Amino acid sequence: MITQEFQAIVFAAGRGSRLPEVLGDTPKCLLTVGPYPLLWYPLNLLQQHGFQEAIVIVLENEKSEIQLAMERTSPKLKLDFVCIPSDSDFGTADSLRYIQDKIKVDFLVLSCDLITNANLFPLINIFRQHDAALAILLFRDGFEPDVTLPGPKSKHKPERDLIGVNPDTKRLLFLAAASDFEETVNINAHLLRKYDKMTVHSRLVDGHVYVMKKWTIEFLKKKEHFSTLKGEFLPYIVKKQMAKSGKPNMIPTTISDTQSDLGLSRKAEDSIFSLIPHANLNQQVLKTTLYNDNKSKPLYNGDLLRCYALEAAKNSLGLRVNTTLNYFAINQKLSSLWPLLCANQDLALISPSALVNSTQTKEISAADNAKLNEKTSLHFSVFGPNCHIKPKNVINKSLIMANAVVEEGCNIENCIIGPKAVVKTGAKLKNCLVGANYIVEENSTLSTKHLIHADGFMEIDIQ
């Protein structure tokens, strides 16, 4: 069974530093997308793939709130909430290192902000087939360009990765952030000689879905300077595929892939290759097997360390909800995407505890205890938990977040109304982003504004 072969780990300790306008005091993983918390989506994906248990990494001071929220969603997975210190500045590699005693076998890592319906089995199978150290899932870019983020116009510059993959074998050969280069990207000629060809993608997105060998945790224990997976550990291990592992019997006291910056060799025990189980047996297999992944060179080019990248099917949805733009985009498009995300599941976009008295609704979603009064026109919008929409309101293409209140007689178009914000009677808002706890004054007429509490602070001139 897949649950005996792999453990599932979900990172849910992020602080949402790129979501300040919508976060308020809510843990990032509990931001609602439609009727469910963000964390529900990767857990539901795991459940659909046959996982029965999952480790969820959370901040210590948020554990109780997250645990209670997930209990209300009635997950069928057995969840083990593992805490990291609330005052820590842990990256993803730090977090894995901190919970190392929980990891018993090879494991699958997901981020809590991933929303996808991708089939994970091809990724798991390529990991199995080639006895890989790492396999990552990639998605096509371009989910959000047709969505206009409320607030003043600003040029959205997405982060891009440069991902080099052999198109025939799917070997992952190069991984770096585009921002690390100015104009020219230099590729090691040895890489191209060894692997024949490589396609470098700049429009693929790392989905933060990784299948990893258990021994990688042992390596992270030895190398405590690695703080993050994507930014530090993954580029390192991808590059190390090309390093020489030493002589076939792995006996020498120094090996060529462990040269320090000072030119001094370290002992073989410090090498990443020394952690690969059954290294001698693997080398004998490489010599004797009839299987080959290319026509003219040794199997896997003799590499003991192998990384792979697989692009999700083109009709798959894949989005990291790690910016305000992506958060707004997924909520705006949720109604049309719901059949893809919840295929073969009888799940509604309106929570059973939501009170919807409006008779003029089209493609809306309402979370727990949302109250949508009569005499309202509500179209293509999402209503968060415990929000209250009073009568005589028109709301279109907007996101009304948790505990927000819209008083009578308002007209709201393409807006985000943040957590615990209040829109007073008669206000007319278009393309506005209203921050957490902000109060929009009665009869306001505002367009393309970013409304946060800092706007209301009084400047004091100290003489």
Side-chain angles (χ1 to χ4, degrees):
M1 287 180 64
I2 193 170
T3 52
Q4 295 174 338
E5 186 180 359
F6 296 96
Q7 286 178 278
I9 301 172
V10 181
F11 291 120
R15 300 179 190 273
S17 58
R18 289 185 285 181
L19 292 155
E21 304 94 340
V22 297
L23 201 57
D25 57 1
T26 305
K28 174 188 171 181
C29 66
L30 295 187
L31 280 176
T32 49
V33 173
Y36 293 104
L38 195 52
L39 178 57
W40 178 85
Y41 291 88
L43 294 178
N44 186 56
L45 179 72
L46 291 171
Q47 180 183 310
Q48 290 177 309
H49 282 81
F51 283 90
Q52 298 173 357
E53 301 179 356
I55 295 171
V56 183
I57 302 176
V58 298
L59 292 174
E60 191 172 14
N61 64 342
E62 295 178 347
K63 177 183 176 181
S64 298
E65 183 179 357
I66 295 170
Q67 195 168 3
L68 182 61
M70 296 316 299
E71 286 174 358
R72 288 198 292 265
T73 68
S74 303
K76 295 180 181 179
L77 289 171
K78 180 182 177 182
L79 302 180
D80 181 8
F81 292 93
V82 182
C83 298
I84 62 173
S86 303
D87 58 353
S88 66
D89 189 23
F90 279 8
T92 46
D94 295 320
S95 296
L96 288 180
R97 191 182 296 114
Y98 192 79
I99 69 158
Q100 58 188 267
D101 293 340
K102 292 278 186 178
I103 301 174
K104 308 298 184 184
V105 294
D106 297 344
F107 55 98
L108 173 69
V109 170
L110 300 92
S111 175
C112 75
D113 59 19
L114 175 68
I115 294 184
T116 182
N117 67 331
N119 184 354
L120 300 182
F121 289 128
L123 182 72
I124 292 171
N125 287 338
I126 201 170
F127 178 87
R128 289 165 164 161
Q129 178 185 350
H130 301 292
D131 195 25
L134 168 74
I136 75 172
L137 186 64
L138 306 173
F139 295 100
R140 283 280 167 189
D141 194 9
F143 176 82
E144 75 286 340
D146 59 337
V147 173
T148 301
L149 181 66
K153 291 184 178 180
S154 60
K155 189 173 182 180
H156 175 60
K157 189 176 181 180
E159 296 180 0
R160 296 201 184 281
D161 297 317
L162 298 178
I163 304 170
V165 181
N166 183 294
D168 299 329
T169 65
K170 306 306 179 186
R171 283 287 293 272
L172 175 61
L173 303 175
F174 184 82
L175 181 62
S179 59
D180 292 342
F181 306 90
E182 293 183 2
E183 295 181 357
T184 304
V185 179
N186 294 319
I187 303 294
N188 193 318
H190 172 68
L191 187 153
L192 297 178
R193 286 195 298 268
K194 186 173 183 180
Y195 299 103
D196 292 330
K197 54 186 173 180
M198 177 177 70
T199 303
V200 179
H201 301 271
S202 63
R203 298 283 179 175
L204 290 178
V205 178
D206 175 3
H208 279 222
V209 179
Y210 310 135
V211 190
M212 302 173 66
K213 285 289 190 185
K214 181 184 181 298
W215 63 256
T216 59
I217 296 296
E218 297 300 316
F219 181 74
L220 288 174
K221 284 168 60 177
K222 292 175 177 288
K223 307 294 183 181
E224 294 188 357
H225 63 281
F226 286 120
S227 181
T228 66
L229 291 180
K230 180 183 176 183
E232 297 172 355
F233 177 65
L234 266 58
Y236 174 86
I237 196 173
V238 168
K239 188 176 181 180
K240 277 299 176 186
Q241 293 175 103
M242 292 174 283
K244 294 180 180 179
S245 60
K247 296 180 180 179
N249 59 12
M250 296 291 285
I251 293 175
T253 58
T254 60
I255 54 179
S256 60
D257 79 302
T258 56
Q259 294 291 325
S260 72
D261 294 338
L262 298 177
L264 302 176
S265 295
R266 292 191 287 263
K267 292 183 179 180
E269 295 83 47
D270 292 333
S271 165
I272 191 170
F273 297 100
S274 69
L275 296 172
I276 301 176
H278 312 301
N280 293 335
L281 176 60
N282 286 348
Q283 289 189 337
Q284 292 302 315
V285 170
L286 296 183
K287 290 181 179 179
T288 57
T289 181
L290 296 177
Y291 170 78
N292 204 336
D293 62 344
N294 63 78
K295 296 180 180 179
S296 59
K297 296 181 180 180
L299 173 62
Y300 302 126
N301 291 282
D303 298 336
L304 287 179
L305 181 61
R306 299 181 288 277
C307 302
Y308 288 82
L310 201 63
E311 183 181 345
K314 292 184 178 179
N315 60 349
S316 296
L317 163 69
L319 180 70
R320 294 280 315 284
V321 185
N322 56 359
T323 65
T324 302
L325 175 59
N326 284 1
Y327 182 59
F328 187 58
I330 188 64
N331 275 290
Q332 275 217 340
K333 298 182 178 185
L334 192 63
S335 291
S336 61
L337 298 173
W338 196 246
L340 296 175
L341 289 172
C342 302
N344 304 316
Q345 294 177 285
D346 186 19
L347 299 171
L349 278 167
I350 306 293
S351 168
S353 64
L355 181 62
V356 182
N357 289 328
S358 175
T359 58
Q360 297 183 52
T361 63
K362 185 176 182 180
E363 293 190 24
I364 69 166
S365 171
D368 291 347
N369 302 309
K371 187 176 181 181
L372 315 182
N373 280 74
E374 68 282 350
K375 299 180 182 179
T376 52
S377 178
L378 312 174
H379 294 164
F380 309 106
S381 296
V382 172
F383 300 91
N386 304 299
C387 73
H388 188 183
I389 310 302
K390 296 186 178 181
K392 301 179 182 178
N393 284 308
V394 176
I395 300 177
N396 187 41
K397 296 182 179 179
S398 294
L399 170 59
I400 314 299
M401 296 187 66
N403 300 291
V405 176
V406 180
E407 296 186 351
E408 294 188 9
C410 297
N411 192 312
I412 298 175
E413 173 85 18
N414 198 68
C415 291
I416 297 175
I417 310 300
K420 299 181 182 178
V422 177
V423 181
K424 292 284 191 177
T425 302
K428 293 178 173 58
L429 305 178
K430 185 175 182 179
N431 297 326
C432 289
L433 197 163
V434 180
N437 302 294
Y438 191 89
I439 298 176
V440 179
E441 294 301 327
E442 189 172 328
N443 296 319
S444 300
T445 299
L446 300 169
S447 178
T448 321
K449 296 291 185 182
H450 187 175
L451 306 170
I452 59 176
H453 271 296
D455 294 341
F457 290 167
M458 181 183 297
E459 291 188 6
I460 299 177
D461 186 13
I462 300 178
Q463 299 295 330

